[in-house]
Amino acid sequence: MDDEQLKLNNQICFPIYSVSRLITKAYKPFLEKMGLTYPQYLVLLVLWENDNISMSKIGEKLLLNTNTLSPLVKRMEKMELLQRKRSDKDERSVFIQLTPKGKELKNTAVPIPEKLLNTLMTEDVTLTEIMLLKDTLNKWSDILSEKQNDEQ
Amino acid sequence: MDDEQLKLNNQICFPIYSVSRLITKAYKPFLEKMGLTYPQYLVLLVLWENDNISMSKIGEKLLLNTNTLSPLVKRMEKMELLQRKRSDKDERSVFIQLTPKGKELKNTAVPIPEKLLNTLMTEDVTLTEIMLLKDTLNKWSDILSEKQNDEQ
DNA sequence: CAAAATTAAATCGTGCACGATACAAATTTA
DNA sequence: TAAATTTGTATCGTGCACGATTTAATTTTG
């Protein structure tokens, strides 16, 4: 049987899956100081760039459904990083606003990307290579998410 | 404040994180037919290549700890895909063997990698690009997992 | 050999992911 | 405008991930 393609080393998804987890782990020491998980950090990235937006808009940017985002954001509200407010215009929508505490956390976060890059870079994985990877994956992400949206 | 690096589009990890989830989603229709989740499929990939190996060896290959793997494998035992057996030589070790049902599933799985590749490829993401990505990520995965092992 | 250290699994608790479903508010349609 | 549909969010159940701790078996060390 021609099963060469079933070998772990020939899989495409497996390295993406494992590198994703390895990078999340690399974030941990930095995020721990702020009491954040990686998905929570992502929500803050969105809000720091664009405060007072709806749940659906956040989900759209992070490719997360409400069944993931809803409890995640509620935990962040409990941590007093943000506030949930139902829109007056459209009572279905919930808008998310950063609290002062949530805004302030940005200062702590500013040095993270560079620190992380230093952690991730090695002799064998150069900055150029990482940037190339990032661009390819960004392109792919756009295409795949659109594709999966179309399917339903 | 120079916060350009905090923008979502400039993040390195985010596209890896989202593409990983998007690809797992792309696997779903194929794996669903076999009643498998993606991590369960990974365990089978390992076993099809190397039957009757220990829990720790599987975890090493998939970069998964026992606290993830242990319940995962138990679920697969319940599905009668494999059997767990304590080693006689070393009573601490548990070795995993495929059942006939688990072995047979390989036949169903053989066409998956090609089908998936067709799903993942588009005009804008060529096979060459995907293969390049795979190699870079494989290299990175090796380096990062070793690095994180050293740290503790 | 006995005590200390190491190793292999398992368990516990928390937080994602996500399919499925529910539900109320808004919009479209007949 | 009333009925049907769509939209935005929330909830439920299941299955990962993973840090921390536990337990038992083996190996190392004094």
Side-chain angles (χ1 to χ4, degrees), chain B residues 56-104:
Chain B
S56 54
K57 208 74 192 165
I58 298 175
E60 197 180 295
K61 283 173 189 288
L62 299 181
L63 309 183
L64 288 173
N65 285 330
T66 159
N67 50 3
T68 301
L69 209 52
S70 198
L72 200 165
V73 165
K74 278 192 175 176
R75 277 187 289 273
M76 293 178 76
E77 190 179 35
K78 229 177 231 171
M79 298 159 77
E80 295 175 357
L81 298 172
L82 49 80
Q83 254 193 328
R84 301 175 327 115
K85 272 185 189 169
R86 251 174 216 284
S87 166
D88 289 331
K89 273 188 206 154
D90 187 338
E91 292 262 338
R92 293 170 303 179
S93 298
V94 171
F95 278 73
I96 309 299
Q97 279 189 330
L98 287 167
T99 59
K101 190 177 165 187
K103 282 178 191 165
E104 222 181 80

Side-chain angles (χ1 to χ4, degrees), chain A residues 98-112:
Chain A
L98 286 167
T99 60
K101 189 177 166 189
K103 281 177 192 165
E104 223 181 79
L105 216 53
K106 186 175 178 178
N107 299 317
T108 320
V110 167
I112 291 184

Side-chain angles (χ1 to χ4, degrees), chain A residues 117 120-131 133, chain B residues 136-141 143-144:
Chain A
L117 214 51
L120 294 183
M121 271 194 300
T122 66
E123 273 179 27
D124 296 311
V125 183
T126 64
L127 185 60
T128 324
E129 212 166 357
I130 292 179
M131 289 307 157
L133 202 74
Chain B
T136 307
L137 286 170
N138 263 326
K139 189 175 65 174
W140 213 10
S141 170
I143 293 166
L144 285 179

